[in-house]
Structure formats: C-alpha cells, structure tokens
C-alpha cells in the first residue's frame, strides 16, 4: 500500500497551527524512461539484449544535411572520412532515440580462454557497441542506410556524432519494430526523491560513461556472478541511480536478475574482490527498492 506522510496544513488565524493533513504518497513513475528487455532464448538461438531509453520530444527533428543524405540514399561509409571521422556533425536527434546498453567489441567466443582462467564467451566491452570493429561492419553493409529504423552493429556513445545529437544503442530501432521487444517497463523513484527527469538522465549518463571508462569486459556465463554484459549494466545502472523496477524485478519476472543475484548471494562476501562485493550490495538494493515501489502502487 502507498505510504502516508503527515504534513502541516495551511491554516487560518483562528485555527491551530498543529492541524495536520495526511497526504497519500507513492512511488513516482518515470514516463520518459523505458527499460527494454529481449531475454536470452537458448532454445530459439536468440542472443537477447537489455537496454534503457530516454524519450525526448525533439527526437524526430532532422538536420538539413541529414535530410539531403537520406534523399540521395547515402550509406554510413559515405559520411565519414578515411579515418572514420564524421564529415558532418549532427546537431539534431535525426530520429535516433537516446539509449544505452553494453556490447562485445567482437565475436565473444574465445575457446582458448579456458587456458587463462577467463570465460570462454567474452570480449572487450563497449558502450552502445561503439567501436571501430563494429562500425566497419556497418560501413561494409550495403543495406545499412542513414535511418534510425535499420538494424546496425554499432551505435554511438557520444553526443553530436555522425548520426545524431544524442548517444544511442543499436537496438533503439526496436521502437520502430515493437514486436521485437519482449518486455518494456518504466522505472520508478521512491517518495522523497525530488530529482527532475533531466537530473535522472544526467545521473544515468554519468554512470554509463564511467562504466565504459573502466574498460569492463563483455562476458556471458548463463547469469553467473563472473559475467558482465548488458543485463549487468542495466541492473547496476538502476541500483546506482536509485531507480526501482517494480513491474519486472519487483514482480519476480526477470529470470536473468533472479539467477544473477542468486549466484552473487552464494559467495562469501569476505573472500571476493571489491567489485563483486559492490555488486552484491547493489543487487540487494535493487530488489529491495523494487519491492518497496511495488508495495506502494
């Protein structure tokens, strides 16, 4: 049930200043942020992906130069120089939705890792798949046009890039193909959190930038505590930024989260490194605030 708080009411001189009013207060839904999930489906050979999106009113505004590029059907490789630097810097969103997710730089299957105690499915990681090895695949792809609706290998991690004024995850094109996204929820903030949407956007931007700067790997081991992938980034982001997920994690619907947290909880906290200790704390926090937000709805 939503919590109740007691506040001092406005009173007239003839009334006591001790008169109080109970105001019903619950968790606040963030309508301008979407949590997107495509779970791993091993039976269907679906790799899956988790990411987060911000809704901006101006996301469909288009630069005149981009209009011209699209009109004459230029490809990605046509708008960068020989060093991969953009010929034009985007000043508008150009239809690309601001979004963030974690990707492997290259094919993550590394069987020789078994000899150096690393996960077999692992690679260097990068925010939004923005790496020259992934960009090169898009440059070579004849069908990759300058449109936010197309599939692509590389998004962009910085603002004012060759495609958009905003950073974007390659999967952002899913909002043009909603049938491909299995599960979408909105995060919530708990009572007392007075941050504006833009302040929360900035908190998320800061977190993902710092995560990327730490040169984290991308790895997968079926939700084991050793992995770091798009699920991990999303869970850590939500917990670090105090964003509850009552409609998925709070409802016990995210199997990846449940398995990952169970794996972390099996560890002896005093015998693991600082990063794992921090992740143990943050996963507990995310579950706690999500359950609390659920109880307030």
């Amino acid at each position: 049930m939503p919590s109740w708080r007691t506040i001092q009411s406005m009173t007239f001189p003839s009334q006591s200043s001790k008169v109080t009013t109970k105001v019903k207060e619950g968790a606040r839904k963030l309508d301008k942020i979407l949590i997107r999930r495509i779970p791993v489906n091993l039976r269907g050979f679906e790799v899956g992906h988790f990411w987060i999106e911000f809704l901006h009113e101006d996301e469909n505004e288009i630069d005149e130069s981009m209009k011209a590029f699209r009109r004459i059907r230029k490809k990605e490789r046509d708008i960068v120089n020989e060093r991969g630097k953009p010929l034009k810097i985007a000043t508008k969103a150009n239809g690309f939705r601001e979004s963030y997710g974690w990707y492997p730089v290259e094919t993550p299957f590394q069987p020789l890792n078994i000899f150096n105690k690393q996960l077999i499915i692992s690679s260097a990681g990068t925010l939004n798949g923005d790496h020259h090895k992934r960009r090169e695949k898009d440059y070579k792809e004849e069908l990759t046009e300058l449109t936010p609706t197309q599939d692509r290998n590389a998004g962009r991690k910085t603002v004012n890039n060759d495609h958009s004024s905003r950073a974007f995850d390659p999967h952002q094109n899913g909002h043009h193909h909603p049938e491909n996204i299995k599960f979408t929820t909105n995060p919530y903030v708990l009572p007392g959190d007075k941050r504006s949407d833009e302040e929360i956007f900035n908190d998320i931007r800061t977190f993902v930038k710092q995560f990327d700067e730490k040169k984290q790997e991308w790895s997968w081991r079926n939700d084991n505590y050793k992995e770091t992938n798009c699920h991990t980034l999303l869970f850590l982001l939500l917990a670090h930024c105090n964003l509850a997920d009552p409609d998925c994690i709070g409802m016990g619907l995210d199997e990846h989260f449940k398995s990952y947290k169970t794996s972390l909880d099996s560890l002896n906290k005093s015998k693991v490194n600082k990063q794992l200790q921090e992740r143990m704390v943050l996963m507990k926090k995310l579950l706690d605030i999500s359950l609390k937000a659920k109880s307030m709805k």
Side-chain angles (χ1 to χ4, degrees), residues 62-124:
I62 304 176
D63 284 313
E64 290 302 317
S65 59
M66 184 60 74
K67 288 180 183 179
F69 288 154
R70 291 176 180 175
R71 188 165 53 248
I72 59 179
R73 301 182 69 82
K74 280 186 177 287
K75 310 297 184 183
E76 290 207 18
R77 65 178 180 275
D78 298 326
I79 62 170
V80 295
N81 63 23
E82 64 278 1
R83 293 178 295 173
K85 300 297 182 182
L87 297 175
K88 291 281 187 178
I89 298 295
T91 61
K92 295 184 178 179
N94 295 326
F96 290 89
R97 179 170 291 176
E98 183 175 5
S99 42
Y100 299 98
W102 195 243
Y103 286 80
V105 164
E106 54 192 339
T107 303
F109 182 60
Q110 305 291 337
L112 294 181
N113 279 355
I114 194 172
F115 298 110
N116 55 24
K117 297 183 179 180
Q118 291 182 314
L119 295 184
I120 292 177
I121 302 179
S122 66
S123 163

Side-chain angles (χ1 to χ4, degrees), residues 262-274:
T262 297
S263 181
L264 282 170
D265 289 345
S266 70
L267 301 174
N268 184 329
K269 189 174 181 180
S270 65
K271 295 183 179 180
V272 297
N273 62 38
K274 185 177 180 180

Side-chain angles (χ1 to χ4, degrees), residues 160-287:
N160 299 115
N161 52 70
D162 51 334
H163 282 287
S164 176
S165 59
R166 297 197 173 99
F168 62 90
D169 182 297
H171 274 78
Q172 66 80 39
N173 73 321
H175 73 276
H176 295 283
H177 313 284
E179 69 279 2
N180 295 334
I181 301 175
K182 307 301 183 185
F183 208 91
T184 295
T185 58
N186 299 92
Y188 285 67
V189 292
L190 297 180
D193 190 331
K194 304 302 182 184
R195 288 177 295 170
S196 66
D197 288 336
E198 191 61 34
E199 287 173 325
I200 294 172
F201 290 171
N202 284 332
D203 286 346
I204 293 172
R205 291 169 184 144
T206 298
F207 176 81
V208 296
K209 182 175 184 292
Q210 292 174 345
F211 191 89
D212 188 57
E213 289 172 346
K214 291 178 181 178
K215 306 296 183 184
Q216 300 271 3
E217 68 173 5
W218 184 99
S219 57
W220 184 80
R221 195 179 176 181
N222 200 22
D223 302 322
N224 184 272
Y225 71 87
K226 293 182 179 180
E227 69 181 27
T228 298
N229 50 46
C230 58
H231 310 152
T232 323
L233 174 65
L234 177 65
F235 302 152
L236 293 172
L237 179 161
L238 293 174
H240 182 85
C241 297
N242 295 306
L243 302 176
D245 183 21
D247 297 325
C248 189
I249 289 175
M251 295 287 289
L253 299 178
D254 191 326
E255 297 298 332
H256 291 302
F257 175 79
K258 289 192 292 185
S259 297
Y260 180 62
K261 185 177 183 301
T262 297
S263 181
L264 282 170
D265 289 345
S266 70
L267 301 174
N268 184 329
K269 189 174 181 180
S270 65
K271 295 183 179 180
V272 297
N273 62 38
K274 185 177 180 180
Q275 175 174 278
L276 286 174
Q277 290 178 6
E278 181 182 49
R279 291 184 178 187
M280 293 170 75
V281 171
L282 289 173
M283 293 310 101
K284 181 180 185 304
K285 174 184 176 181
L286 178 55
L287 179 60

